[in-house]
Amino acid sequence: MPLDPAPWQEVHTMQFITTSSITISATPVEPEADWHDRANCLGVDPDLFFPERGASTREAKEVCRGCEVRHDCLEFALQNGEKFGIWGGLSERERRRIRRQRAQVARSTIGA
């Protein structure tokens, strides 16, 4: 039979949000300070990540796929309200969905 934690011990249950291409924490996580120095997109034409409305995002997302700092890049965009471009392999529409889901998790945590 499990014992209740002592009053000074915190019990955390990690929750995650899964999209079609990435799984991230349901609560914001601080990105590493130097994440951009290790990004796959370093040296790639920035215009690729800011396609014209209606243009394909496939090439930009392909650069992001497998990038070791993809989560940090996505967190940076989420925490800084980036409204344009591909960040962490996700479009603004996909990031809006994550922000809504995180807000829902935060409301349910506060109400618990």
Side-chain angles (χ1 to χ4, degrees), residues 4 48 58 68 72 92 107 111:
D4 289 333
L48 180 67
R58 188 172 6 104
E68 70 177 90
D72 293 306
E92 168 54 20
R107 283 191 303 273

Side-chain angles (χ1 to χ4, degrees), residues 7 14 22 54-55 59 61-63 70-71 83 86 97 103-104 106:
M14 267 315 254
I22 194 168
E59 287 183 59
K61 289 181 175 187
E62 189 60 37
V63 172
R70 184 175 179 195
H71 286 90
K83 295 200 183 309
I86 304 302
R97 188 174 304 128
Q104 208 171 22

Side-chain angles (χ1 to χ4, degrees), residues 14-106:
M14 267 315 254
Q15 294 180 343
F16 295 93
I17 295 171
T18 301
T19 70
S20 60
S21 62
I22 194 168
T23 298
I24 65 164
S25 170
T27 55
V29 177
E30 194 63 35
E32 290 185 31
D34 66 342
W35 66 267
H36 50 321
D37 294 333
R38 300 186 326 272
N40 283 357
C41 61
L42 195 62
V44 175
D45 182 0
D47 288 343
L48 180 67
F49 299 93
F50 297 91
E52 294 294 323
R53 186 177 191 97
S56 175
T57 60
R58 188 172 6 104
E59 287 183 59
K61 289 181 175 187
E62 189 60 37
V63 172
C64 298
R65 191 182 331 275
C67 180
E68 70 177 90
V69 295
R70 184 175 179 195
H71 286 90
D72 293 306
C73 178
L74 178 56
E75 281 296 340
F76 175 86
L78 291 168
Q79 291 179 25
N80 290 284
E82 291 291 345
K83 295 200 183 309
F84 303 102
I86 304 302
W87 292 83
L90 299 183
S91 67
E92 168 54 20
R93 176 180 290 157
E94 293 164 316
R95 292 192 305 275
R96 269 196 314 267
R97 188 174 304 128
I98 290 172
R99 281 194 292 274
R100 280 194 305 268
Q101 290 174 325
R102 281 185 168 178
Q104 208 171 22
V105 167

Side-chain angles (χ1 to χ4, degrees), residues 1-11:
M1 178 173 206
L3 299 175
D4 289 333
W8 63 87
Q9 292 176 319
E10 291 185 39
V11 177

